[in-house]
């Protein structure tokens, strides 16, 4: 599953830079997550970094985007090929 940000978001700005896939962006009211870029940090970390840094715990799994670990890994690999993710060096 991709993650989502709920309306409990306080716009604290800590999740956006924590996302290695650049899936988080400022929306009209609160931060949002592009589900086509969210891999729940599969391929990067054991835990989603945005969930770890969020002080109000407003980033649950998105029930509309049910994806297996294999699908998330395929998405990660596609993003790597496209050059659209951060690496430790960038």
């Amino acid at each position: 599953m991709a993650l989502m940000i709920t309306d409990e978001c306080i716009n604290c700005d800590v999740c956006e830079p924590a996302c290695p896939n650049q899936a988080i962006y400022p929306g009209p009211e609160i931060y949002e997550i592009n589900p086509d870029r969210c891999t729940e940090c599969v391929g990067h970390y054991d835990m989603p970094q945005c969930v770890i840094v969020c002080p109000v715990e407003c980033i649950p799994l998105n029930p509309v985007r049910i994806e297996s670990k294999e699908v998330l890994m395929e998405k990660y690999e596609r993003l790597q090929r496209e050059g659209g993710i951060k690496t430790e060096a960038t």
Side-chain angles (χ1 to χ4, degrees):
M1 291 185 191
L3 299 168
M4 60 185 274
I5 298 176
T6 66
D7 59 5
E8 285 88 23
C9 176
I10 59 172
N11 289 314
C12 67
D13 303 319
V14 297
C15 61
E16 183 181 21
C19 180
N21 296 321
Q22 300 169 335
I24 300 174
Y25 60 94
E29 303 278 328
I30 59 173
Y31 277 89
E32 297 181 13
I33 296 178
N34 177 344
D36 293 329
R37 297 190 66 82
C38 179
T39 65
E40 296 177 46
C41 289
V42 168
H44 293 283
Y45 303 102
D46 292 333
M47 297 268 312
Q49 298 301 288
C50 61
V51 172
I52 291 171
V53 300
C54 181
V56 294
E57 300 178 4
C58 68
I59 309 176
L61 292 170
N62 185 342
V64 176
R65 287 294 290 250
I66 300 172
E67 298 169 309
S68 67
K69 292 288 183 190
E70 292 79 18
V71 169
L72 294 170
M73 182 56 85
E74 288 172 11
K75 190 187 312 184
Y76 162 78
E77 291 168 352
R78 176 184 52 83
L79 290 168
Q80 267 200 320
R81 284 191 304 274
E82 294 171 357
I85 59 174
K86 297 177 192 174
T87 63
E88 294 300 317
T90 58

